[in-house]
Amino acid sequence: MDLLRFITAGSVDDGKSTLIGRLLYDSKNILIDQLEALERSTKNRDDGSVDLALLTDGLRAEREQGITIDVAYRYFTTPKRKFIIADAPGHVQYTRNMITGASNASLIIILIDARHGVVEQTRRHSIIGSLLRIPHVVVAINKMDLVDNSKEVYDKIVADYEVVAKQLDLKDVTYIPISALRGDNIVDKSETIKWYTGKPLLEQLEEIHVESDVNLTDSRFQVQYVIRPQTDELHDYRGYAGKIMSGVYRKGDRVTILPQKKETTISKIETAGKEADEVFCPQPAVIHLTNDIDISRGDTIVHSNNLPFVNNEVDALLCWMDEKPLLQGNKYLLLHNSRIVRAVVKQIDYKLDVNSLAHFPVEDDVKLNEVVKAKIRLATELVYDPYKKLSCNGSAVLIDETSNATVAAVLLQ
Amino acid sequence: MSLHRLNYMEQLEAESIHIFREVAGQFERPALLFSGGKDSITLVHLALKAFAPGKFPFPLVHIDTGHNFPEALAFRDKLVEEIGAELIVRKVEDTIKQRRLTEPKGKFPSRNWLQTYTLLDTIEEFEFDACIGGGRRDEEKARAKERIFSVRDEFGQWNPKLQRPELWNIYNGRIHKGENVRVFPISNWTELDIWNYIRSERIPLPSIYFAHKREVIEHEGQLIATSEFVRPSEGDIIALKSVRYRTVGDMTCTAAVESYASTLDEVVNEIIATRISERGETRIDDKVTEAAMEDRKKDGYF
């Protein structure tokens, strides 16, 4: 059994909460106390229906305002997979939260209201999905019952979305006509949308092939922590602990330490306390090297024949996440996995409109939720790959040193 | 050719180990909050894997309400000795005396929420900058939104509206003096994941998790063990039953489940089965007690 992390973005109006509630409810993943609350609410309803949105109730402020503000994580399991849902808000003023939820997702469900078709929000969510390189897209065309389960309406929406998908270069897109409220094509195949011959949503989620999403070619490992027990029996033990971010490492591999640019060989590999001949992404590992090299937290170990970039000036897309605006020339800390480097946002090239992908000149400060292309200068060299090629080694955050807040998501180019 | 693929349990374990190493890499004085329950025992197991063969890099901190199950205390001491960790125990009893707090009253006098005082004093005393806890996002609605690195102000408070965005696997643990970070390495695990992991890794647990004979009071459909902290009063129905516990908390507020499951496999199977039948039925049995108990725990510990 494996694990699939996916994101659903949207507001209550789109039926997102109902959709998630339906997935949890129909796949029998509801705990008894939730079920009780659900049944109590049902008794107060005239039509005896169940308010599935209750299952995704969040913070007090959210309940009061009937909106989703922050990302919530929800869990369910079927005999085939464990699922982690990042349940994110959909409105433009919560773009930062959606980006947070999308950063770990390997699939995005784009919810479309069948009555409204492809709208600005559909484009925005798809653009965010494509910026963050979410490999799989499921377009769930919801509220089919409100358009008489019309195939014409569905076909038109599919055709419209194909244009978006082509523009954004989305490779793996699946379309499913659903009614979250009535449970059509969520867990079970709909009996009313007869013309649809594809899988219901849950089956699609269970069967989508995610194994090849893992990059096993470009091996990247960053040191998180140096293990040196310094006891009598382990006097000379010095192991570099970290996570295999991508690729495969084997005993005897010729490797280069960056940014030191020193070459050596892997003499021993351990994972979870046991020796191993090889380790692969995303296993935790402790790597031992033949030569004595000064290596500390944040340094990178890669195969000598497959090197990442090493630069002290980088181009990046910044998704601004702080109430305080970004000012050109401001200093920040850049946290790239376990490596922290001083950084200056030297130049802001343009602003990217998340609704259209159009570029605009930046006239004043960069505000919360805006996405810009910028040049960043670093105090020491960064060892990275372009986000498009290898997201695990192309992502970073900016930290405001005075507030310690995480102020931007950084997609290196 | 070997398959380069991890199952979901190995993926969860990998994520938790990564988080543990980030804590060790980012903080000066981290501590692991240890309650003696299955979640904190799982944390210890994961930390041992993360830093092997190095020594256990954090002290275990037990905020002791004084209402413990003796079996849980014995287990704690044995575990600490085995792994060679430092154990710090601070007693709620002492905080109550020093700070002139009011002892909870009633038949089941829970000191659970008073733990907050002792915890904050302990954090201050040892200048802990990170406290690792066994909180999970599946436990409760608000927790579903909490970050893995959750910054607390000097009053130990969590502000859900001012959370740092937490992207990819990048954890920003930078804090000002006086603040601390609560770290939840098993955020993405569900209760069932924990049990399945304990089963597959054969992690030892305190004996009260397994069926044993115990004198209990039947109170509003729940079974509460009699002890020096909970004394039966007139009219109480007292029975000797075969029970086990699903969580390890205080003797004053943890209910037992009637059970004959004496091995780990039997216990896990029973838990899986209970959840399924619970879903089918509308009756609540121990589930609500557990949720309520964990809520109180959250006010206290987290």
Side-chain angles (χ1 to χ4, degrees):
Chain A
M1 193 158 91
D2 64 359
L3 176 64
L4 178 75
R5 295 173 197 252
F6 68 93
I7 176 170
T8 53
S11 49
V12 175
D13 313 337
D14 310 319
K16 181 197 61 165
S17 300
T18 312
L19 173 70
I20 295 174
R22 181 59 77 183
L23 274 174
L24 300 176
Y25 187 74
D26 286 2
S27 63
K28 303 189 168 49
N29 273 271
I30 310 293
L31 295 176
I32 190 80
D33 50 340
Q34 294 171 306
L35 201 65
E36 267 250 315
L38 208 63
E39 273 157 11
R40 269 200 303 277
S41 81
T42 308
K43 282 181 196 136
N44 302 332
R45 293 184 143 210
D46 298 337
D47 58 357
S49 65
V50 174
D51 186 4
L52 293 166
L54 271 179
L55 291 171
T56 57
D57 250 5
L59 303 168
R60 197 169 294 112
E62 294 177 318
R63 286 199 295 276
E64 280 161 13
Q65 295 168 49
I67 50 163
T68 317
I69 296 169
D70 210 333
V71 187
Y73 294 90
R74 318 204 180 275
Y75 305 84
F76 73 103
T77 308
T78 69
K80 290 186 181 158
R81 266 194 175 141
K82 175 182 165 95
F83 297 94
I84 300 180
I85 314 174
D87 175 6
H91 288 124
V92 68
Q93 67 264 38
Y94 302 118
T95 298
R96 67 170 162 172
N97 307 84
M98 185 183 160
I99 290 174
T100 302
S103 69
N104 283 319
S106 37
L107 182 147
I108 181 167
I109 297 182
I110 302 274
L111 260 182
I112 295 180
D113 186 327
R115 296 169 303 174
H116 306 136
V118 174
V119 294
E120 187 178 272
Q121 173 166 285
T122 319
R123 279 198 194 84
R124 186 172 67 249
H125 292 174
S126 305
I127 285 170
I128 290 171
S130 78
L131 282 177
L132 288 160
R133 313 296 290 181
I134 300 178
H136 311 281
V137 180
V138 171
V139 179
I141 300 165
N142 193 21
K143 306 193 185 179
M144 285 302 293
D145 52 317
L146 299 183
V147 294
D148 297 326
N149 299 322
S150 156
K151 187 170 184 307
E152 287 69 41
V153 171
Y154 171 82
D155 286 341
K156 164 92 171 44
I157 293 171
V158 171
D160 288 349
Y161 195 84
E162 289 287 348
V163 177
V164 177
K166 194 158 181 252
Q167 189 200 2
L168 298 176
D169 197 25
L170 302 174
K171 294 279 190 310
D172 179 24
V173 185
T174 312
Y175 302 90
I176 307 177
I178 63 167
S179 165
L181 193 67
R182 297 167 24 146
D184 285 334
N185 285 334
I186 306 295
V187 170
D188 300 311
K189 223 167 139 29
S190 166
E191 280 166 20
T192 48
I193 310 173
K194 292 194 178 72
W195 46 264
Y196 174 72
T197 53
K199 296 171 194 165
L201 178 63
L202 183 64
E203 207 175 311
Q204 179 68 22
L205 296 173
E206 284 180 325
E207 289 172 11
I208 201 153
H209 184 77
V210 292
E211 287 79 16
S212 44
D213 297 347
V214 179
N215 180 326
L216 292 170
T217 316
D218 307 294
S219 300
R220 302 290 182 257
F221 177 90
Q222 213 191 39
V223 177
Q224 282 187 275
Y225 187 73
V226 183
I227 298 179
R228 291 178 61 208
Q230 292 176 302
T231 54
D232 288 343
E233 65 266 38
L234 294 165
H235 189 69
D236 295 322
Y237 186 102
R238 192 185 175 88
Y240 302 103
K243 182 177 75 177
I244 311 299
M245 292 155 60
S246 56
V248 184
Y249 288 82
R250 293 185 183 87
K251 193 176 162 178
D253 281 354
R254 199 71 190 142
V255 290
T256 299
I257 316 304
L258 293 170
Q260 293 89 325
K261 298 192 177 68
K262 297 242 167 81
E263 238 187 303
T264 179
T265 304
I266 294 178
S267 57
K268 185 165 99 170
I269 297 175
E270 289 161 294
T271 181
K274 292 198 187 85
E275 231 181 294
D277 287 332
E278 65 165 28
V279 279
F280 55 91
C281 166
Q283 280 187 298
V286 179
I287 290 181
H288 297 253
L289 303 169
T290 324
N291 300 62
D292 219 359
I293 300 170
D294 182 16
I295 299 172
S296 47
R297 177 173 157 85
D299 292 343
T300 301
I301 303 174
V302 293
H303 286 137
S304 299
N305 60 4
N306 184 334
L307 300 178
F309 293 151
V310 183
N311 278 322
N312 57 10
E313 194 165 302
V314 293
D315 278 333
L317 279 183
L318 303 182
C319 312
W320 200 251
M321 301 191 151
D322 202 39
E323 302 283 349
K324 280 199 286 181
L326 161 66
L327 306 175
Q328 190 167 298
N330 262 20
K331 290 191 178 72
Y332 298 95
L333 292 168
L334 184 135
L335 180 61
H336 174 242
N337 298 311
S338 301
R339 188 176 183 80
I340 196 153
V341 186
R342 286 188 187 282
V344 180
V345 179
K346 216 176 79 176
Q347 187 188 315
I348 301 167
D349 297 332
Y350 58 80
K351 193 170 109 182
L352 186 76
D353 182 359
V354 287
N355 292 319
S356 67
L357 279 183
H359 296 184
F360 292 107
V362 179
E363 267 134 27
D364 46 16
D365 305 335
V366 177
K367 292 178 208 64
L368 178 67
N369 292 317
E370 292 186 336
V371 177
V372 294
K373 159 82 190 319
K375 279 192 174 53
I376 302 175
R377 203 173 157 72
L378 303 155
T380 48
E381 286 169 315
L382 199 69
V383 179
Y384 68 99
D385 291 278
Y387 187 87
K388 274 189 180 175
K389 182 192 166 198
L390 202 55
S391 58
C392 62
N393 198 35
S395 47
V397 298
L398 287 184
I399 299 168
D400 178 332
E401 209 180 347
T402 58
S403 68
N404 287 329
T406 300
V407 294
V410 182
L411 310 179
L412 298 161
Q413 294 197 317
Chain B
M1 216 190 96
S2 63
L3 276 175
H4 291 126
R5 204 184 296 167
L6 297 184
N7 67 33
Y8 87 98
M9 199 58 98
E10 293 163 329
Q11 289 186 50
L12 289 177
E13 182 192 62
E15 182 183 73
S16 301
I17 288 175
H18 177 253
I19 294 163
F20 266 112
R21 288 171 173 172
E22 278 306 291
V23 176
Q26 291 196 29
F27 296 97
E28 295 288 324
R29 283 204 57 81
L32 193 151
L33 300 179
F34 186 80
S35 70
K38 65 180 191 312
D39 293 337
S40 54
I41 292 168
T42 301
L43 283 182
V44 169
H45 184 84
L46 289 162
L48 284 169
K49 282 197 173 191
F51 303 105
K55 62 174 190 217
F56 201 82
F58 328 107
L60 300 187
V61 172
H62 183 211
I63 303 301
D64 182 356
T65 59
H67 291 171
N68 304 292
F69 286 93
E71 296 90 339
L73 285 186
F75 182 90
R76 176 196 77 186
D77 293 341
K78 190 165 158 267
L79 180 75
V80 166
E81 202 188 308
E82 271 170 20
I83 65 175
E86 181 193 352
L87 173 71
I88 293 168
V89 181
R90 286 295 176 271
K91 294 181 188 298
V92 174
E93 179 92 42
D94 296 338
T95 315
I96 292 174
K97 279 184 194 145
Q98 280 160 20
R99 294 190 175 270
R100 315 272 154 84
L101 304 179
T102 308
E103 268 274 15
K105 294 185 180 67
K107 180 162 184 171
F108 306 109
S110 169
R111 282 175 172 173
N112 245 316
W113 73 276
L114 290 180
Q115 286 180 106
T116 312
Y117 290 91
T118 316
L119 175 63
L120 294 180
D121 286 350
T122 311
I123 288 172
E124 212 176 296
E125 180 186 348
F126 293 92
E127 294 179 18
F128 291 132
D129 48 5
C131 293
I132 302 159
R136 303 188 319 265
R137 284 174 177 156
D138 75 326
E139 284 177 78
E140 200 249 352
K141 283 167 186 171
R143 287 302 311 280
K145 307 220 162 187
E146 190 163 6
R147 305 293 185 248
I148 291 174
F149 272 39
S150 182
V151 179
R152 302 299 174 96
D153 63 19
E154 41 189 326
F155 300 99
Q157 288 175 314
W158 176 53
N159 186 344
K161 286 186 183 167
L162 271 180
Q163 295 203 89
R164 292 176 183 171
E166 196 163 75
L167 297 116
W168 299 290
N169 302 304
I170 301 177
Y171 302 106
N172 170 10
R174 294 182 68 88
I175 45 170
H176 296 287
K177 209 169 162 47
E179 294 175 337
N180 66 84
V181 178
R182 304 287 168 87
V183 181
F184 303 107
I186 52 170
S187 287
N188 284 325
W189 298 50
T190 61
E191 191 198 1
L192 208 52
D193 295 336
I194 295 282
W195 279 112
N196 280 322
Y197 187 70
I198 288 171
R199 173 157 66 175
S200 70
E201 297 278 308
R202 312 312 291 182
I203 301 174
L205 292 178
S207 57
I208 60 169
Y209 278 109
F210 304 96
H212 56 285
K213 287 261 190 279
R214 195 178 276 272
E215 190 185 83
V216 290
I217 305 174
E218 288 181 45
H219 180 79
E220 291 174 7
Q222 287 164 6
L223 306 177
I224 317 269
T226 56
S227 64
E228 55 174 306
F229 317 113
V230 179
R231 299 198 189 277
S233 39
E234 256 190 63
D236 273 346
I237 308 162
I238 298 170
L240 189 68
K241 284 187 186 284
S242 176
V243 297
R244 65 174 170 80
Y245 286 87
R246 276 180 78 164
T247 55
V248 169
D250 285 356
M251 292 202 81
T252 51
C253 58
T254 309
V257 190
E258 199 163 355
S259 166
Y260 294 92
S262 57
T263 66
L264 195 50
D265 287 320
E266 284 169 11
V267 170
V268 177
N269 286 340
E270 213 170 81
I271 286 163
I272 295 168
T274 313
R275 291 170 70 97
I276 291 163
S277 71
E278 273 172 0
R279 262 183 243 128
E281 295 166 3
T282 52
R283 234 192 86 247
I284 302 174
D285 43 50
D286 64 306
K287 192 68 206 165
V288 154
T289 323
E290 184 178 330
M293 206 281 289
E294 293 194 359
D295 277 347
R296 260 172 275 150
K297 223 168 142 170
K298 241 162 282 148
D299 290 336
Y301 266 0
F302 295 106

